[in-house]
Amino acid sequence: MKKILALILTISMLCAMSACGAGTSSAPASSQPEATTAPAEETQSAPEAPSQEPTEAPSAEEPASAEDVTPEPANQIEYPLEESYTFTMTATLRNNVLQVLGDDDFSVTSAYRGLEAATGCSIDFNMLGEATAEEKTNIMLASGDMTDFYTGLGSYGNNLTGAIHDGILFDMAPMLEEYAPDYKALLDSDAELAASATNPDGTISMFVSQAADVVEKGILIRQDWLDKLGLEAPTNREALEDILHQFQSEMGASMPILMNFGLETGLSGSFNVSYAGMRSMDYQLTEPNGKEVVACFASENFIEYLVYLNHLYNDGLITDDFMSTGREYGNWESSYYSGKCGVWSDGFRELDPANRSNADDPNYMVSPIALTDYDCHVAERSTASMNGMLFLTTACEKPELAMEMINYCYTTDGRHNGLYGMEGEGYTLTDDGKVQLTENLTNNPNWSLNNALLWYGAAQWMPTCTDMEYYELIGAKESIDGIKYWTDNGGDKAMKLPAGVSLSAEANTEFNNLASDVLTLFSEGAVRVVTGALDEAGYRALIEDANGMGLARMTELYQEAYDAYLAG
């Protein structure tokens, strides 16, 4: 344990990687603001026992549920467990959840009470604010003064094999069949999820959540503007540009297509660019199912994307406002609600007609679109979820019992409990086993459905499994139609690195030591290309500079990892 402090100080707080466990890795964030969860509504007081009358989910076509695809485990654990015990957990209280829970911890949620009642075990929570969670977690891990569970592992978050080597975590893989059989059955049924949960050496050191295999984010357009101008939804970039010009001249849109400081417009997929904005170093393949990896920002695809953004900038369809636009600046939603823009990228919830009440124009209406004149090979669809990751540390005196407790989250009842809260409080079941949400969620006098789910459910700290049934329960018909539309038109993932490709602990440390300066160089240079301060030749020269600063070695590390993956 003595070398933990030195390692953490070496890696430091620069790691802001976007990958989930052993998934595609990313480099540390630059000095730009880091992405945060979208702000929730204004804090309200706790609900006063509202009605529990169930409300049926919107009708849908053949919803695919997790129960349909997850096989029964060979070993069955009976709940409640024979032994009761109180575990400790350090959990990050994200800003949107903070606005709902206030000074309370997760023990007040219905999902926690359901877990406690079902298993007979309890949890004492140590809550950390989002801004300081990583720093405080690093200090705890370095000192050895650890709790049993963590929802985030600080600088070890993308070096789980290192966490095992340094005595922070232990390998759960040999224990899953006996002590977490439902979790093991889920991993056995979902190769991509298993890859995200498995370390490069085959060890497993975290519980992960499963997300539905759908595309829940895409390009949105002001449908009421299209209708007023008598226009059809665009399906290619040429038609999109024509519409943007008309939005500007006829509807007064000052920034017809909305772009944030990370150069995210929703259009990058049409250039087969796979990246998460300018916050991290992302890697992809140079061609579908190819054998060569490339840093996203150094790819021909990204250069083409930058040149196109410069074209939109020169046409006045993107303005300098993008440099200070984003959720982090608190002006993302206001940009489209106020009519400043007519096309942007966002999640399926923005398709809910109820959002028109937030807009300046009462006719506000949004529809999903997709540019279908190209073959997209970087679709953002994954079965691994970023929420609900949980780590069990070597500080736990009863790891077998802890695994049995968390295994409940992967049972049918446990999945429902984690998503909606206790049966009878957040949901009820029909005679044929279908979930119905109660009015505690759908008609809560204090909160929207989104915030009520944070009070009753546990998606921020308890492993959960979502499916289309979940989306159909929480989304308006228009939102569900958007998910289906984006999923059907979203393309494949043939140019994204497989989830099983990840760096070894040593390679990951070397990568991180090189990545920060390289990312800063790219993030500054990319913005200059958009505004015309740097031409294409200048950006290509910048790539050569980056290679000399360490990019060449970083790419070599990922190429070696991908070669090893292909070799099995």
Side-chain angles (χ1 to χ4, degrees), residues 14 26 58 64 129 157 161 174 230 248 252 322 330 429 462 495 563:
L14 290 174
S26 309
T161 52
Q248 187 175 54
F322 80 84
L429 292 175
M462 183 189 295
M495 288 180 67
D563 290 344

Side-chain angles (χ1 to χ4, degrees), residues 22 183-184 186-199 203-204 208 383-384 499-500:
Y183 181 43
K184 183 178 186 303
L186 178 63
L187 297 182
D188 290 344
S189 69
D190 189 334
E192 185 175 355
L193 185 71
S196 71
T198 306
N199 300 325
T203 58
I204 296 177
V208 297
T383 58

Side-chain angles (χ1 to χ4, degrees), residues 322-453:
F322 80 84
M323 296 183 215
S324 58
T325 296
R327 297 190 190 280
E328 296 82 352
Y329 293 102
N331 57 1
W332 182 257
E333 291 88 350
S334 62
S335 295
Y336 49 78
Y337 285 145
S338 66
K340 181 178 181 179
C341 71
V343 173
W344 67 99
S345 177
D346 222 319
F348 72 100
R349 292 180 185 273
E350 293 302 326
L351 292 164
D352 191 333
N355 288 320
R356 69 177 56 193
S357 64
N358 300 318
D360 294 347
D361 184 350
N363 298 312
Y364 178 92
M365 185 184 302
V366 179
S367 291
I369 61 173
L371 305 185
T372 56
D373 62 327
Y374 66 94
D375 293 326
C376 176
H377 300 297
V378 292
E380 291 295 332
R381 50 193 303 167
S382 175
T383 58
S385 173
M386 290 300 293
N387 286 329
M389 290 166 39
L390 196 60
F391 303 92
L392 177 61
T393 75
T394 55
C396 182
E397 297 181 357
K398 295 182 178 291
E400 296 87 355
L401 185 65
M403 292 174 66
E404 290 179 333
M405 177 182 70
I406 300 303
N407 179 74
Y408 173 74
C409 302
Y410 298 95
T411 66
T412 299
D413 291 343
R415 285 194 291 266
H416 292 159
N417 175 72
L419 292 173
Y420 316 114
M422 292 182 70
E423 183 175 1
E425 291 188 8
Y427 77 99
T428 60
L429 292 175
T430 63
D431 291 340
D432 58 354
K434 297 296 182 182
V435 173
Q436 292 181 315
L437 302 185
T438 70
E439 287 198 352
N440 287 343
L441 297 180
T442 62
N443 193 29
N444 194 291
N446 298 291
W447 296 316
S448 66
L449 174 60
N450 292 353
N451 283 359
L453 285 168

Side-chain angles (χ1 to χ4, degrees), residues 106-121 125 408 417 421-422 425-426 440 455-456 458 461-462:
F106 290 136
S107 65
V108 302
T109 64
S110 179
Y112 168 76
R113 290 185 282 107
L115 175 70
E116 187 178 46
T119 65
C121 292
F125 290 95
Y408 173 74
N417 175 72
M422 292 182 70
E425 291 188 8
N440 287 343
W455 177 266
Y456 284 90
W461 65 274
M462 183 189 295

Side-chain angles (χ1 to χ4, degrees), residues 514-519 521 542 544-552 554:
L514 297 170
S516 181
D517 289 342
V518 172
L519 177 61
L521 183 69
L542 182 145
E544 292 304 314
D545 291 341
N547 281 326
M549 292 171 58
L551 178 65
M554 293 161 59

Side-chain angles (χ1 to χ4, degrees), residues 272-274 282-296 299-301 377-378 493-498 501 558-559 562-563 565-566:
N272 278 314
V273 171
S274 174
D282 299 294
Y283 276 76
Q284 65 179 82
L285 302 179
T286 57
E287 61 183 8
N289 301 311
K291 295 185 178 181
E292 182 181 356
V293 303
V294 63
C296 174
S299 67
E300 290 297 319
N301 307 71
H377 300 297
V378 292
K493 299 188 293 183
M495 288 180 67
K496 294 178 73 72
L497 282 179
V501 177
Y558 258 101
Q559 186 66 58
Y562 185 50
D563 290 344
Y565 173 85
L566 293 177

Side-chain angles (χ1 to χ4, degrees), residues 2-15 28 134 138 142 155-156 159 166 505-506 508-516:
K2 290 183 179 179
K3 51 187 174 182
I4 296 175
L5 180 57
L7 180 60
I8 288 179
L9 293 176
T10 299
I11 298 175
S12 77
M13 292 290 293
L14 290 174
C15 289
E134 183 172 355
N138 285 339
S155 295
Y156 278 108
N159 184 19
D166 290 336
E506 294 78 12
N508 192 66
T509 299
E510 182 181 359
F511 183 95
N512 288 335
N513 288 337
L514 297 170
S516 181

